[in-house]
Amino acid sequence: VKALSGVISQTYRNLEIIVSDNNSAGDVKGALSAFKDSRIKSFRHDSELSMTENWNFCLKQATGDYFLLLSDDDQLVPEAVGTLVKVFLTGNTALSYGRAVFKGEAGGFLGLSRSAPPLESGEEFIKESLSGRRNALPSGTLFRTEAGRLLGGYPETGSSTDLALRLCLALQGTVAYSSVPILEYSIHPGGLTFDFAKAEEGFLKLADW
């Protein structure tokens, strides 16, 4: 509900909102009934997909020019999409992302994501990302839908799948960054952020890939 509220509140109104219910135990249908918005398209999977399969399902369903994958526990600020999309109107932008505010389980402030140049080459972004100096999160990153599809979508590299796709996209042009926070990103025990074993496995899969 929090994630959807943030999407519906976007000042950039020309949105298609795809909800992919990955066979969750919660009452997603009931939660969605509170939102009377014709832009919402909801899908439910009868058996649980892998994270990568679910993300690629969303990418396949999208009909808009641009794509942003929002996790269900994150929230965009009202100006987020408008901020991310405007840089695509000029230049050769391949990827646009913004700063995140990290929030704990109780909603407390934990810090900000790393800063970055407002514009950099794709090659520089790749180098800095692999060095751990870029925090481009799926929930705060926008790219051209067709570009993602032509690259085959999110690859099967475990928890590093979003990083793998970003690196490929970055080869196609420049990367833009907004220093104004556009996203509240939830960090909680049990999530991928704290699962170091899965993170290590994901990076090894990325290296092989």
Side-chain angles (χ1 to χ4, degrees):
V1 170
K2 181 181 177 182
L4 262 181
S5 297
V7 175
I8 289 172
S9 300
Q10 290 299 298
T11 55
Y12 186 92
R13 303 297 299 168
N14 186 24
L15 299 177
E16 172 187 54
I17 305 167
I18 297 167
V19 178
S20 179
D21 176 2
N22 195 13
N23 193 32
S24 60
D27 184 14
V28 175
K29 186 176 181 180
L32 286 173
S33 66
F35 296 92
K36 309 300 180 185
D37 195 310
S38 61
R39 297 175 297 174
I40 297 175
K41 299 178 181 179
S42 177
F43 302 88
R44 177 174 171 81
H45 306 293
D46 293 329
S47 57
E48 187 172 345
L49 305 178
S50 71
M51 181 181 77
T52 304
E53 289 171 335
N54 191 31
W55 289 11
N56 279 324
F57 173 83
C58 294
L59 182 60
K60 183 179 179 180
Q61 298 304 315
T63 64
D65 292 335
Y66 304 100
F67 184 84
L68 181 146
L69 185 87
L70 181 67
S71 298
D72 60 3
D73 56 353
D74 298 333
Q75 186 173 25
L76 297 171
V77 303
E79 299 80 16
V81 175
T83 298
L84 295 177
V85 78
K86 65 183 180 182
V87 296
F88 284 93
L89 304 179
T90 57
N92 183 34
T93 304
L95 199 69
S96 175
Y97 71 107
R99 198 165 205 178
V101 177
F102 295 129
K103 293 291 188 75
E105 267 193 300
F109 175 77
L110 297 179
L112 293 170
S113 62
R114 290 176 179 268
S115 61
L119 198 67
E120 63 184 334
S121 68
E123 289 82 358
E124 185 68 14
F125 174 79
I126 290 170
K127 183 182 74 174
E128 295 299 297
S129 293
L130 293 175
S131 299
R133 291 189 287 267
R134 296 290 181 265
N135 284 144
L137 302 165
S139 293
T141 300
L142 192 76
F143 58 85
R144 288 185 174 86
T145 308
E146 188 60 20
R149 285 187 182 138
L150 288 173
L151 288 168
Y154 295 94
E156 282 291 355
T157 56
S159 61
S160 68
T161 181
D162 58 305
L163 173 59
L165 181 56
R166 281 197 301 274
L167 299 183
C168 291
L169 288 165
L171 287 172
Q172 301 182 358
T174 57
V175 177
Y177 167 77
S178 169
S179 60
V180 178
I182 62 160
L183 171 74
E184 287 188 4
Y185 183 82
S186 297
I187 296 179
H188 48 85
L192 277 177
T193 308
F194 279 92
D195 197 327
F196 299 111
K198 279 191 176 180
E200 182 180 35
E201 180 187 7
F203 283 123
L204 290 172
K205 286 183 177 180
L206 175 66
D208 289 340
W209 177 77

